[in-house]
Coordinates of all heavy atoms in Angstrom, one line a residue:
V1053 N 144.7 23.4 9.1 CA 145.2 24.0 10.3 C 144.8 23.2 11.5 O 143.5 23.0 11.7 CB 144.7 25.5 10.5 CG1 145.2 26.1 11.8 CG2 145.2 26.3 9.3
E1054 N 145.7 22.6 12.3 CA 145.3 21.8 13.4 C 144.7 22.7 14.5 O 145.3 23.8 14.9 CB 146.5 21.1 14.0 CG 146.1 20.1 15.0 CD 147.2 19.2 15.5 OE1 148.0 18.8 14.6 OE2 147.2 18.8 16.7
R1055 N 143.6 22.3 15.0 CA 142.9 23.1 16.1 C 143.6 22.9 17.4 O 143.8 21.7 17.8 CB 141.4 22.7 16.1 CG 140.6 23.5 17.1 CD 139.2 23.1 16.9 NE 138.4 23.6 17.9 CZ 137.1 23.4 18.1 NH1 136.5 22.6 17.2 NH2 136.4 23.9 19.1
Q1056 N 144.0 23.9 18.0 CA 144.7 23.8 19.3 C 143.7 23.7 20.4 O 142.8 24.5 20.6 CB 145.6 25.1 19.5 CG 146.7 25.3 18.5 CD 147.7 24.2 18.5 OE1 148.1 23.8 19.6 NE2 148.0 23.6 17.3
K1057 N 143.9 22.7 21.3 CA 143.1 22.6 22.5 C 143.6 23.6 23.5 O 144.7 23.9 23.7 CB 143.3 21.2 23.1 CG 142.7 20.1 22.2 CD 141.2 20.1 22.3 CE 140.6 18.9 21.5 NZ 139.2 19.0 21.5
T1058 N 142.6 24.2 24.2 CA 142.9 25.2 25.1 C 142.9 24.8 26.6 O 143.2 25.5 27.5 CB 142.0 26.4 25.0 OG1 140.6 26.0 25.1 CG2 142.1 27.0 23.6
A1059 N 142.4 23.6 26.8 CA 142.3 23.1 28.2 C 142.3 21.5 28.2 O 142.3 20.9 27.1 CB 141.0 23.6 28.8
A1060 N 142.3 20.9 29.3 CA 142.2 19.5 29.4 C 140.9 19.1 28.8 O 139.9 19.8 28.9 CB 142.2 19.0 30.9
D1061 N 140.9 17.9 28.1 CA 139.7 17.4 27.4 C 138.7 16.9 28.3 O 138.9 15.8 28.9 CB 140.2 16.4 26.4 CG 139.1 15.9 25.5 OD1 137.9 16.3 25.7 OD2 139.4 15.1 24.6
P1062 N 137.5 17.5 28.5 CA 136.5 17.1 29.4 C 135.9 15.8 29.0 O 135.3 15.1 29.8 CB 135.5 18.2 29.4 CG 135.8 19.0 28.2 CD 137.2 18.8 27.9
T1063 N 136.0 15.4 27.7 CA 135.4 14.1 27.2 C 136.2 12.9 27.7 O 135.8 11.8 27.7 CB 135.3 14.0 25.7 OG1 136.6 14.1 25.1 CG2 134.4 15.2 25.2
K1064 N 137.4 13.1 28.2 CA 138.3 12.1 28.7 C 138.6 12.1 30.2 O 139.3 11.3 30.7 CB 139.6 12.1 27.9 CG 139.5 11.8 26.4 CD 140.8 11.9 25.7 CE 140.7 11.4 24.3 NZ 140.0 12.2 23.4
A1065 N 138.0 13.1 30.9 CA 138.3 13.3 32.3 C 137.4 12.5 33.2 O 136.2 12.3 32.8 CB 138.2 14.8 32.6
D1066 N 137.9 12.1 34.3 CA 137.0 11.4 35.3 C 136.2 12.4 36.1 O 135.2 12.0 36.7 CB 137.9 10.6 36.3 CG 138.5 9.3 35.7 OD1 137.9 8.8 34.7 OD2 139.5 8.8 36.2
V1067 N 136.7 13.6 36.2 CA 135.9 14.7 36.9 C 135.8 15.9 36.0 O 136.8 16.3 35.4 CB 136.6 15.1 38.2 CG1 135.9 16.2 38.9 CG2 136.8 13.9 39.2
V1068 N 134.6 16.4 35.9 CA 134.4 17.6 35.1 C 133.7 18.6 36.0 O 132.7 18.3 36.6 CB 133.5 17.3 33.9 CG1 133.2 18.6 33.1 CG2 134.3 16.4 32.9
V1069 N 134.3 19.8 36.0 CA 133.6 21.0 36.7 C 133.1 21.9 35.6 O 133.9 22.5 34.9 CB 134.6 21.7 37.6 CG1 134.0 22.9 38.3 CG2 135.2 20.8 38.7
A1070 N 131.8 22.0 35.5 CA 131.2 22.8 34.5 C 130.6 24.1 35.0 O 130.0 24.1 36.1 CB 130.1 22.0 33.8
A1071 N 130.9 25.2 34.3 CA 130.4 26.5 34.7 C 129.2 26.9 33.9 O 129.2 26.7 32.7 CB 131.6 27.5 34.6
G1072 N 128.3 27.7 34.5 CA 127.1 28.1 33.8 C 126.9 29.6 34.0 O 127.8 30.3 34.5
R1073 N 125.7 30.1 33.7 CA 125.4 31.5 33.8 C 125.5 32.0 35.2 O 125.4 33.3 35.4 CB 124.0 31.7 33.3 CG 123.9 31.8 31.8 CD 122.5 32.3 31.4 NE 122.6 32.5 30.0 CZ 122.1 33.6 29.4 NH1 121.5 34.5 30.1 NH2 122.3 33.8 28.1
G1074 N 125.6 31.2 36.2 CA 125.7 31.6 37.6 C 127.0 32.4 37.8 O 127.2 33.0 38.8
F1075 N 127.9 32.3 36.9 CA 129.2 33.0 37.0 C 129.0 34.4 36.5 O 128.7 34.6 35.3 CB 130.3 32.3 36.2 CG 130.8 31.1 36.9 CD1 130.1 29.9 36.8 CD2 132.0 31.1 37.7 CE1 130.6 28.8 37.5 CE2 132.5 30.0 38.3 CZ 131.8 28.8 38.2
A1076 N 129.1 35.4 37.4 CA 128.7 36.8 37.0 C 129.9 37.5 36.3 O 129.6 38.4 35.5 CB 128.4 37.6 38.2
A1077 N 131.1 37.0 36.5 CA 132.2 37.7 35.9 C 133.2 36.6 35.4 O 133.4 35.6 36.0 CB 132.9 38.6 36.9
E1078 N 133.9 37.0 34.3 CA 134.9 36.0 33.7 C 136.0 35.6 34.7 O 136.4 34.4 34.7 CB 135.5 36.6 32.5 CG 136.4 35.7 31.7 CD 136.9 36.2 30.4 OE1 136.6 37.4 30.1 OE2 137.5 35.5 29.6
E1079 N 136.4 36.5 35.5 CA 137.5 36.2 36.5 C 137.0 35.1 37.5 O 137.8 34.4 38.1 CB 138.0 37.4 37.2 CG 137.0 38.3 37.9 CD 136.4 39.4 37.0 OE1 136.6 39.3 35.7 OE2 135.7 40.3 37.5
D1080 N 135.7 35.0 37.8 CA 135.2 34.0 38.7 C 135.4 32.6 38.2 O 135.3 31.7 39.0 CB 133.7 34.3 39.0 CG 133.4 35.5 39.8 OD1 134.3 36.0 40.5 OD2 132.3 36.1 39.7
L1081 N 135.6 32.4 36.9 CA 135.8 31.1 36.3 C 137.1 30.4 37.0 O 137.2 29.2 36.9 CB 136.0 31.2 34.8 CG 134.7 31.5 34.0 CD1 135.1 31.6 32.6 CD2 133.7 30.4 34.2
Q1082 N 138.0 31.3 37.5 CA 139.2 30.7 38.2 C 138.8 29.8 39.3 O 139.5 28.8 39.6 CB 140.1 31.8 38.6 CG 141.4 31.3 39.1 CD 142.2 30.5 38.0 OE1 142.2 31.0 36.9 NE2 142.7 29.4 38.4
K1083 N 137.6 30.1 40.0 CA 137.2 29.2 41.1 C 136.9 27.8 40.5 O 137.2 26.8 41.2 CB 136.0 29.8 41.7 CG 136.3 31.1 42.5 CD 135.0 31.8 42.9 CE 135.2 33.1 43.7 NZ 136.1 34.0 43.1
A1084 N 136.3 27.7 39.4 CA 136.0 26.4 38.7 C 137.3 25.7 38.3 O 137.4 24.5 38.5 CB 135.0 26.6 37.5
R1085 N 138.2 26.5 37.8 CA 139.5 25.9 37.3 C 140.3 25.4 38.5 O 140.9 24.3 38.5 CB 140.3 27.0 36.6 CG 139.8 27.4 35.3 CD 140.7 28.4 34.6 NE 140.3 28.7 33.3 CZ 139.6 29.8 33.0 NH1 139.4 30.8 33.9 NH2 139.2 30.1 31.7
D1086 N 140.2 26.1 39.6 CA 140.9 25.7 40.9 C 140.4 24.4 41.4 O 141.1 23.5 41.8 CB 140.8 26.8 41.9 CG 141.6 28.0 41.6 OD1 142.5 28.0 40.7 OD2 141.4 29.1 42.2
L1087 N 139.0 24.3 41.4 CA 138.4 23.0 41.9 C 138.7 21.9 40.9 O 139.1 20.8 41.4 CB 136.9 23.2 42.0 CG 136.1 22.0 42.5 CD1 136.7 21.5 43.8 CD2 134.6 22.3 42.6
A1088 N 138.7 22.1 39.6 CA 139.0 21.1 38.7 C 140.5 20.6 38.8 O 140.8 19.4 38.8 CB 138.8 21.6 37.2
A1089 N 141.4 21.6 39.0 CA 142.8 21.2 39.2 C 143.0 20.4 40.5 O 143.7 19.4 40.5 CB 143.6 22.5 39.3
K1090 N 142.3 20.8 41.6 CA 142.4 20.1 42.8 C 141.9 18.6 42.7 O 142.5 17.7 43.3 CB 141.6 20.8 43.9 CG 141.8 20.4 45.3 CD 143.1 21.0 45.9 CE 143.2 20.8 47.4 NZ 143.7 21.9 48.1
L1091 N 140.9 18.4 41.9 CA 140.3 17.1 41.7 C 141.0 16.3 40.5 O 140.6 15.2 40.2 CB 138.8 17.2 41.4 CG 138.0 17.7 42.6 CD1 136.6 18.0 42.2 CD2 138.0 16.7 43.8
G1092 N 141.9 16.9 39.9 CA 142.6 16.3 38.7 C 141.6 16.2 37.5 O 141.8 15.2 36.7
G1093 N 140.7 17.1 37.4 CA 139.7 17.0 36.3 C 139.9 18.1 35.3 O 140.9 18.7 35.2
A1094 N 138.8 18.3 34.6 CA 138.8 19.3 33.5 C 137.6 20.2 33.7 O 136.7 19.9 34.4 CB 138.6 18.6 32.1
I1095 N 137.7 21.4 33.0 CA 136.5 22.3 33.1 C 135.7 22.2 31.8 O 136.2 21.7 30.8 CB 136.9 23.8 33.3 CG1 137.8 24.3 32.2 CG2 137.6 23.9 34.7 CD1 137.9 25.8 32.2
A1096 N 134.5 22.5 31.9 CA 133.5 22.6 30.8 C 132.6 23.7 31.1 O 132.7 24.4 32.1 CB 132.8 21.2 30.6
C1097 N 131.6 23.9 30.2 CA 130.6 25.0 30.5 C 129.3 24.7 29.7 O 129.2 23.8 29.0 CB 131.2 26.3 30.0 SG 131.6 26.4 28.3
S1098 N 128.4 25.6 30.0 CA 127.1 25.6 29.3 C 127.2 26.6 28.1 O 128.2 27.4 28.1 CB 125.9 26.0 30.2 OG 126.2 27.3 30.7

């Protein structure tokens, strides 16, 4: 079963926006996604 990627690959991106425990709510992750999109990058996390 091929594993489906759910986002841009951070191992190949020039810019990575990584989110950590400082995000109090799951919906706040959109702020990281928005910045990554603006910079043409990918998201990652701890």
Side-chain angles (χ1 to χ4, degrees):
V1053 176
E1054 188 172 326
R1055 186 171 168 184
Q1056 298 295 315
K1057 292 285 185 182
T1058 57
D1061 186 352
T1063 64
K1064 294 180 172 69
D1066 284 339
V1067 176
V1068 173
V1069 179
R1073 281 190 169 224
F1075 285 80
E1078 185 173 7
E1079 55 271 11
D1080 291 337
L1081 290 175
Q1082 190 58 46
K1083 293 170 178 52
R1085 288 184 180 103
D1086 292 344
L1087 179 56
K1090 191 84 169 215
L1091 294 169
I1095 63 164
C1097 63
S1098 61

